[in-house]
């Protein structure tokens, strides 16, 4: 069985509709994973992206996946092996800074719904040709930000974006108020220092603030 692009986008749309913000997480210590996920879910952010940038990431996905009410995906997918590892760890969706044919095929083969990154009209059109109409817009801040997404929505209104990279509490609404933005990703809800210090209440407060951003 393979996962069709249409089904992948449908599944990711459901994930993206759960809350306005998807936390982008870098987990260094697996013992932090579960309480971190619990704090974010309690704060109203159930969809969590764990980036595959640390040795602890795959174990963190496993640990976080046990938290009731959460849905955990893997970020920073670059190679087909990343996709296999993410799937084996229990990731329910996959996020990549970009997209390659090999990565797209691996996600379809492993039935891991891919949220692929694209920023230019040609990158977006290439993904549309393959059947993907829900994309990550990365790196959002340095790729023109909300005005760029608005401009792409002129000729390509059929594509919906999850901007990530440079999104913060103060500018998130610039993105979320656009009709072609479904949610945004951001790391600010789980600052490394608070995670290291186990300040779960403070992280829950940041999550609650983010979860109440109007869409
Ligand atoms: C990332 O891949 O690190 C994300 O885009 C998060 O970016 P941010 O730290 O600017 O939220």
């Amino acid at each position: 069985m393979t996962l069709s692009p249409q089904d992948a986008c449908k599944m990711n749309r459901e994930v993206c509709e759960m809350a306005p913000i998807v936390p982008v997480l870098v987990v260094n210590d697996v013992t932090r994973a579960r309480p971190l996920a619990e704090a974010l879910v309690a704060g109203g952010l159930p969809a969590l992206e764990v980036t595959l940038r640390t040795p602890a990431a795959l174990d963190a996905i496993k640990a976080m996946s046990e938290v009731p009410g959460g849905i955990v995906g893997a970020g920073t997918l670059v190679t087909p092996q990343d996709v296999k590892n993410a799937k084996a760890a229990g990731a329910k969706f996959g996020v990549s800074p970009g997209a390659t044919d090999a990565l797209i095929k691996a996600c379809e083969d492993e039935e891991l719904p891919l949220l692929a990154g694209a920023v230019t009209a040609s990158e977006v059109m290439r993904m549309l040709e393959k059947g993907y109409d829900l994309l990550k817009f990365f790196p959002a801040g340095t790729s023109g930000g909300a005005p760029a997404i608005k401009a792409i929505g002129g000729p390509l209104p059929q594509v919906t974006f999850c901007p990530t990279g440079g999104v913060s509490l103060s500018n998130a609404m610039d993105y979320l108020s656009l009709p072609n933005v479904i949610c945004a990703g951001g790391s600010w809800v789980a600052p490394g220092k608070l995670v290291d210090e186990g300040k779960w209440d403070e992280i829950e407060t940041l999550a609650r603030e983010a979860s109440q951003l109007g869409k």
Side-chain angles (χ1 to χ4, degrees):
M1 285 288 287
T2 62
L3 182 65
S4 73
Q6 292 74 21
D7 284 346
C9 290
K10 185 164 175 268
M11 291 163 78
N12 279 341
R13 199 162 270 117
E14 284 167 13
V15 170
C16 288
E17 280 171 344
M18 293 174 88
I21 301 298
V22 177
V24 177
L25 307 170
V26 179
V27 181
N28 291 302
D29 176 353
V30 71
T31 67
R32 301 287 193 230
R34 189 178 173 113
L36 173 58
E38 285 170 345
L40 292 166
V41 172
L45 301 182
L48 310 175
E49 175 192 336
V50 178
T51 58
L52 299 190
R53 293 183 213 165
T54 63
L58 293 169
D59 286 336
I61 290 172
K62 278 185 207 150
M64 289 179 159
S65 296
E66 290 171 9
V67 173
I71 177 157
V72 184
T76 324
L77 297 178
V78 178
T79 67
Q81 190 60 50
D82 292 337
V83 176
K84 286 199 176 78
N85 294 344
K87 182 76 184 185
K92 295 291 188 290
F93 62 95
V95 186
S96 177
T100 66
D101 289 346
L103 190 76
I104 294 166
K105 182 174 186 312
C107 283
E108 291 174 356
D109 289 348
E110 293 289 330
E111 300 185 65
L112 187 68
L114 173 64
L115 184 64
V119 281
T120 67
S122 292
E123 288 167 358
V124 173
M125 286 164 62
R126 251 180 240 123
M127 290 306 292
L128 261 183
E129 262 180 15
K130 292 180 184 293
Y132 289 83
D133 61 2
L134 174 60
L135 300 170
K136 166 167 156 161
F137 187 84
F138 174 84
T142 53
S143 303
I149 299 177
K150 185 175 181 195
I152 286 182
L156 301 169
Q158 66 273 53
V159 182
T160 306
F161 294 97
C162 167
T164 306
V167 181
S168 63
L169 184 66
S170 60
N171 69 12
M173 279 312 297
D174 296 347
Y175 294 99
L176 294 171
S177 59
L178 295 174
N180 58 343
V181 167
I182 187 169
C183 67
S187 64
W188 86 87
V189 289
K193 191 168 183 300
L194 295 187
V195 175
D196 290 346
E197 292 171 359
K199 300 254 173 80
W200 311 125
D201 288 354
E202 289 183 41
I203 289 175
E204 185 178 328
T205 300
L206 289 173
R208 185 157 300 113
E209 220 170 26
S211 75
Q212 287 165 0
L213 286 163
K215 172 61 201 151

